[in-house]
Amino acid sequence: MFQTLKNAWKVDEIRKKLIFTLLMLVIFRLGNAIPVPFVDRNVLTQLYQYTEGNLLSFMNLLTGGALGEFTIFAMSIYPYITASIILQLLTIAIPRLEELSKEGEAGQKKIQQYTRIGAVVLGVFQALGISGKLFARAVVAKGFLEQASIIVVLIAGTMFLVWLGDLITEKGIGNGISMLIFAGIISRLPHSFIYWTQGVIQGKINPINAILMLIIVVVVVAGVVIIAEGERRINVQYAKRVVGRKMYGGQATHIPIKVNMGGVMPVIFTSSLLQLPSMLGMLIGGGFGEFVNKYFSPQQNPGIIITNILAVILIILFAFFYTAIQFNTVEYSKNLQQQGGFIPGIRPGRPTSDYMGKISNRITFIGAIALAILYVLPAILSAIFKLPISFGGTAIIIVVGVVLETFKQMESMLLMRHYKGFLNK
């Protein structure tokens, strides 16, 4: 990996992309330090200390500490992610949206516009929950305009991050949205390890349990790498064709089907959806808020069981959803037939499509189950060992997945320039 970075830095185009990405992440981190107006910082600190160790710690991790500090990026990009999930699901149900998705770049721009509108609508409700319920005691806004300015600032912060993510995707390295989430999580991991170290020194945390959890983290990292790199290869044979005096085709190759085609997106989408009940609980409050805090908080009992079960189900569903989007077996079968290719022992056309679909479903199910296990394993073991942990399978999978995807993108750029990176060694 370090050799790949070294080689990438030598290429002027890739070096500019790397520098641009780093500058955008610096802007993201600087924005996390800009406070929302009309907020008493002393009261805010007390509120965060009071809620340390519960759901707020997990949400604060995903926002890179912006939520706990109540900064302009307190909502991060999660309203946009939730709106994206809703639009992609509606694309299947509404014919007009399905037509737009097939109209190429123009259709995608229209869907992105709808997604941004949905993000603003969801952002209004989430901002009301944060300012009116979660940190209500810290808000010193008196009039309507002052309260409205808090909502506007929070929504503007989210939409600015969406724009920043698009810039990273277009002009930088990696997926912009994933990179922002990655940067936020990385910025909070030292805080978590310091908290562990202090707990061990002060006798609040059993050293053996801490060591066991570190071993589990290493196992999860290794598991994520195995899932990301795993693939099933389907053999393909091309028929020989004689054109004039030359013979074409006749070679054998393969179709690689990844175990986890969705990458980290199933985990990101799952973590985003699991925040919705908490946001509604904060917004509505009262008995409903207490119910949500008990049954949908990963730090409560039986909330930890319910949220982990929901997480497993959602990860599996999103894994299949993304595989269906990225690997259209019908179109793949048509293209293969037009190019004179066939799978040995399988007839071209519909049988080939069915065969690839069956293999894809099987390998996706295995990958989704493995991803779900890695997702819930740290949280379950943390509850067993009584070890407080703000990060878990979510953070580990996202961090490792984003690093792998980013280095793969750099590796593909290097291969185009005849460099040899770590993937070919």
Side-chain angles (χ1 to χ4, degrees):
M1 293 177 66
F2 291 109
Q3 185 63 38
T4 301
L5 274 175
K6 182 179 178 181
N7 291 335
W9 193 258
K10 295 177 181 178
V11 181
D12 184 61
E13 180 184 352
I14 303 179
R15 183 170 63 251
K16 289 180 180 179
K17 288 179 176 290
L18 286 170
I19 294 174
F20 180 83
T21 302
L22 290 175
L23 289 176
M24 294 300 102
L25 294 181
V26 168
I27 293 174
F28 166 63
R29 293 304 303 159
L30 289 175
N32 272 12
I34 302 175
V36 170
F38 308 113
V39 174
D40 189 330
R41 313 308 299 179
N42 295 326
V43 177
L44 183 66
T45 302
Q46 295 174 3
L47 287 174
Y48 181 70
Q49 290 176 348
Y50 178 74
T51 52
E52 178 74 28
N54 65 8
L55 181 62
L56 179 61
S57 297
F58 174 71
M59 296 169 62
N60 193 46
L61 171 72
L62 295 179
T63 59
L67 179 61
E69 297 294 332
F70 204 2
T71 68
I72 60 174
F73 294 157
M75 298 192 303
S76 190
I77 54 175
Y78 289 98
Y80 178 80
I81 294 175
T82 305
S84 177
I85 298 171
I86 295 173
L87 258 294
Q88 290 190 30
L89 293 176
L90 289 178
T91 300
I92 301 175
I94 301 177
R96 175 54 185 161
L97 290 177
E98 186 177 2
E99 291 176 3
L100 282 176
S101 65
K102 296 178 180 179
E103 289 181 1
E105 186 177 351
Q108 291 300 323
K109 286 184 178 180
K110 198 69 175 178
I111 291 178
Q112 288 180 2
Q113 183 180 354
Y114 293 153
T115 305
R116 289 185 173 91
I117 295 173
V120 172
V121 174
L122 292 174
V124 170
F125 290 101
Q126 187 167 339
L128 287 172
I130 294 174
S131 61
K133 295 294 181 179
L134 184 60
F135 294 130
R137 287 171 51 193
V139 175
V140 295
K142 298 178 180 179
F144 172 78
L145 290 178
E146 292 182 355
Q147 294 176 348
S149 65
I150 297 177
I151 307 299
V152 171
V153 166
L154 290 173
I155 296 174
T158 293
M159 300 314 296
F160 177 81
L161 288 182
V162 172
W163 176 74
L164 207 65
D166 290 340
L167 278 181
I168 294 175
T169 302
E170 180 182 355
K171 300 181 180 181
I173 294 288
N175 180 280
I177 300 297
S178 300
M179 291 296 289
L180 292 177
I181 298 174
F182 165 82
I185 294 174
I186 284 295
S187 68
R188 298 301 297 174
L189 289 184
H191 175 270
S192 299
F193 284 113
I194 291 173
Y195 181 75
W196 274 22
T197 304
Q198 292 177 345
V200 172
I201 295 174
Q202 297 171 3
K204 296 179 181 179
I205 298 177
N206 189 328
I208 298 177
N209 290 346
I211 294 173
L212 289 175
M213 281 303 300
L214 288 175
I215 294 174
I216 295 300
V217 169
V218 174
V219 171
V220 171
V221 170
V224 174
V225 174
I226 292 172
I227 294 174
E229 298 298 320
E231 65 182 23
R232 166 72 185 275
R233 297 180 177 181
I234 300 178
N235 294 325
V236 175
Q237 184 72 37
Y238 285 90
K240 294 182 179 180
R241 294 178 299 167
V242 178
V243 180
R245 296 183 178 181
K246 294 184 178 180
M247 181 178 292
Y248 297 90
Q251 73 272 22
T253 183
H254 64 269
I255 302 173
I257 301 180
K258 302 293 291 185
V259 174
N260 181 28
M261 289 190 185
V264 297
M265 295 312 295
V267 176
I268 293 176
F269 276 19
T270 296
S271 62
S272 179
L273 280 183
L274 289 179
Q275 289 185 51
L276 281 180
S278 302
M279 290 294 112
L280 290 174
M282 288 188 297
L283 183 62
I284 298 174
F288 179 76
E290 295 178 358
F291 172 82
V292 169
N293 188 53
K294 180 179 180 181
Y295 291 97
F296 290 94
S297 173
Q299 280 76 24
Q300 301 290 336
N301 192 15
I304 184 174
I305 299 175
I306 296 175
T307 54
N308 283 323
I309 291 175
L310 289 175
V312 170
I313 295 172
L314 288 173
I315 286 175
I316 294 174
L317 290 177
F318 282 127
F320 275 97
F321 179 72
Y322 261 86
T323 300
I325 292 176
Q326 297 184 18
F327 188 63
N328 189 326
T329 57
V330 175
E331 292 297 326
Y332 214 107
S333 175
K334 288 181 180 179
N335 294 334
L336 196 64
Q337 187 175 7
Q338 290 173 358
Q339 295 171 7
F342 62 93
I343 299 174
I346 307 296
R347 295 181 59 186
R350 180 66 179 272
T352 297
S353 174
D354 293 341
Y355 177 76
M356 288 191 296
K358 182 170 65 175
I359 292 179
S360 176
N361 289 336
R362 288 178 178 177
I363 197 168
T364 300
F365 180 75
I366 294 173
I369 290 294
L371 197 64
I373 292 174
L374 295 175
Y375 179 96
V376 303
L377 186 61
I380 294 175
L381 294 180
S382 175
I384 294 174
F385 295 142
K386 305 298 181 183
L387 184 65
I389 179 173
S390 57
F391 66 91
T394 308
I396 298 171
I397 292 172
I398 291 175
V399 168
V400 178
V402 171
V403 170
L404 289 174
E405 290 179 1
T406 304
F407 271 90
K408 283 181 181 178
Q409 183 176 346
M410 282 195 292
E411 183 70 19
S412 64
M413 293 178 180
L414 290 172
L415 289 175
M416 293 176 62
R417 292 162 177 81
H418 307 289
Y419 279 94
K420 187 175 182 181
F422 75 100
L423 291 179
N424 292 330
K425 289 185 178 181

